């Protein structure tokens, strides 16, 4: 298949029997390997109060990743802008760009926490997501020195940190109006993804940040020696998602073999089986074919892989295999 720019979002997923600090160190170690394999960028995420995710401070973790690597681009997928004051976000990315010039990305999302308790702890409500477009404009203004407050963001002002909008819901339209690159998923709903991409390209307005549309498609991709081994990579995340949908909490990832012994209710089983479908998973030949189809259907500039699983060695092997089949 034709070469494609390939990147990774690692959510610092915690695993049964392992600690949150281990999950964060796993992310840093993975970033080093991804750099060696030639991946374009590695991003980290923001989640609050989630037992199964250690990454709660993405700019702090991005600093650790950037400090442990030399060439790979590093960023956030993303900072949830409604949770923060835009000035503080600009300052944080200004510091990152100053320390690691030319390597930092600013991926931005509009979520405000998954539960009422988390939103109360953050001092935010569901409606705060409705102000995302204005918050985004304010954030970009701090880099360009256009704030009406007369305050200047140091050291952000005058720096150029590429912004990306995580396109969930209204995100595609917001990215297009702002003239920003867009990240869109997931692979399980291709029709919706294509509609979002088409809308973005049709509505895109060139800006100082991007002269033309830039599309990043994101989703789970698992590559292994056999289809069965690839499917096993999907099992821990599928079970955790099913558990969250039925119990209201997102737990650490269990080993695949443990999931296969667990009894599930009919409702849990339905969510679990659904969670195993729609991804790109299989052998090198199978994944190459599916990925090529995706690229032809959506025409993205980049693919952001978001796979999470219990077995970190198997995950790294999947990334090795994927790099080999996409390098031309």
């Amino acid at each position: 298949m034709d070469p494609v720019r390939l990147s990774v979002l690692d959510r610092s997923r915690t695993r049964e029997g392992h600690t949150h600090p281990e999950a964060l160190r796993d992310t840093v170690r993975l970033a080093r390997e991804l750099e060696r394999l030639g991946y374009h960028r590695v991003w980290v995420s923001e989640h609050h109060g989630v037992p199964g995710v250690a990454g709660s401070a993405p700019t702090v973790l991005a600093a650790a990743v950037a400090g442990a690597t030399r060439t790979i681009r590093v960023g956030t997928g993303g900072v949830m802008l409604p949770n923060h004051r835009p000035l503080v976000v600009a300052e944080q990315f200004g510091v990152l760009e100053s320390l690691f010039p030319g390597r930092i990305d600013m991926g931005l999302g509009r979520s405000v926490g998954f539960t009422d308790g988390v939103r109360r702890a953050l001092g935010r409500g569901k409606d705060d997501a409705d102000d995302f477009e204005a918050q985004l404009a304010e954030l970009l203004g701090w880099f360009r020195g256009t704030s009406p407050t007369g305050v200047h963001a140091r050291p952000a002002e005058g720096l150029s940190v590429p912004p990306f909008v995580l396109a969930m819901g209204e995100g595609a339209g917001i990215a297009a109006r702002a003239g920003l690159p867009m990240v869109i998923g997931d692979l399980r709903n291709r029709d919706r993804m294509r509609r979002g991409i088409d809308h973005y390209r049709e509505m895109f307005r060139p800006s100082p940040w991007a002269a033309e549309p830039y599309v990043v498609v994101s989703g789970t991709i698992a590559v292994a020696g056999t289809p069965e081994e690839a499917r096993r990579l999907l099992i821990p995340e599928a079970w955790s998602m099913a558990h969250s949908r039925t119990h209201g909490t997102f737990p650490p990832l269990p080993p695949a073999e443990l999931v296969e012994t667990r009894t599930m209710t009919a409702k849990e089983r339905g969510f679990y089986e659904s969670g195993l479908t729609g991804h790109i998973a299989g052998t090198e030949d199978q994944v190459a074919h599916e990925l090529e189809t995706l690229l032809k259907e959506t025409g993205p500039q980049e693919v952001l892989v978001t796979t999470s699983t219990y077995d970190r060695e198997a995950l790294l092997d999947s990334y090795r295999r994927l790099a080999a089949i996409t390098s031309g």
Side-chain angles (χ1 to χ4, degrees), residues 75-296:
T76 56
V79 164
M80 295 301 134
L81 194 52
N83 292 338
H84 312 279
R85 294 302 307 166
L87 170 61
V88 175
V89 175
E91 290 170 336
Q92 291 173 346
F93 279 98
V95 170
L96 284 170
E97 177 64 20
S98 299
L99 293 173
F100 309 101
R103 291 180 56 205
I104 300 301
D105 301 321
M106 186 168 56
L108 304 162
R110 61 194 296 268
S111 295
V112 288
F114 295 120
T115 67
D116 290 337
V118 168
R119 287 189 289 270
R120 284 196 301 272
L122 291 169
R124 296 293 185 267
K126 286 183 178 180
D127 293 343
D128 286 310
D130 297 337
D131 296 327
F132 176 72
E133 192 162 8
Q135 294 162 346
L136 179 62
E138 180 185 341
L139 172 61
L140 299 181
W142 288 115
F143 286 92
R144 298 179 61 78
T146 58
S147 171
T149 65
V151 175
H152 297 274
R154 309 293 188 201
E157 188 173 311
L159 297 180
S160 182
V161 182
F164 294 74
V165 172
L166 275 61
M168 299 178 65
E170 297 299 315
I174 292 171
R177 288 189 292 273
L180 300 182
M182 175 187 71
V183 182
I184 188 166
D186 65 85
L187 300 179
R188 291 181 295 174
N189 193 334
R190 303 287 177 88
D191 288 340
R192 182 181 179 187
M193 177 187 283
R194 283 193 296 268
R195 288 195 299 271
I197 292 172
D198 289 344
H199 178 65
Y200 167 72
R201 288 177 174 143
E202 290 168 6
M203 302 294 293
F204 184 85
R205 301 172 184 171
S207 75
W209 301 96
E212 56 189 25
Y214 190 97
V215 174
V216 183
V217 296
S218 68
T220 295
I221 302 176
V223 195
T226 67
E228 293 74 23
E229 289 172 332
R231 183 181 183 277
R232 286 178 68 79
L233 282 168
L234 306 176
I235 286 175
E237 182 81 359
W239 181 86
S240 291
M241 289 296 294
H243 188 276
S244 72
R245 297 287 297 274
T246 53
H247 293 79
T249 59
F250 197 67
L253 295 172
E257 57 270 21
L258 186 58
V259 172
E260 292 171 331
T261 67
R262 287 180 172 168
T263 302
M264 301 183 202
T265 65
K267 188 175 183 180
E268 287 173 324
R269 177 66 63 179
F271 284 129
Y272 170 68
E273 294 293 345
S274 175
L276 291 172
T277 63
H279 309 293
I280 295 179
T283 64
E284 283 94 331
D285 287 345
Q286 291 171 321
V287 168
H289 175 73
E290 289 191 52
L291 190 53
E292 194 163 25
T293 299
L294 172 69
L295 298 179
K296 288 178 180 177

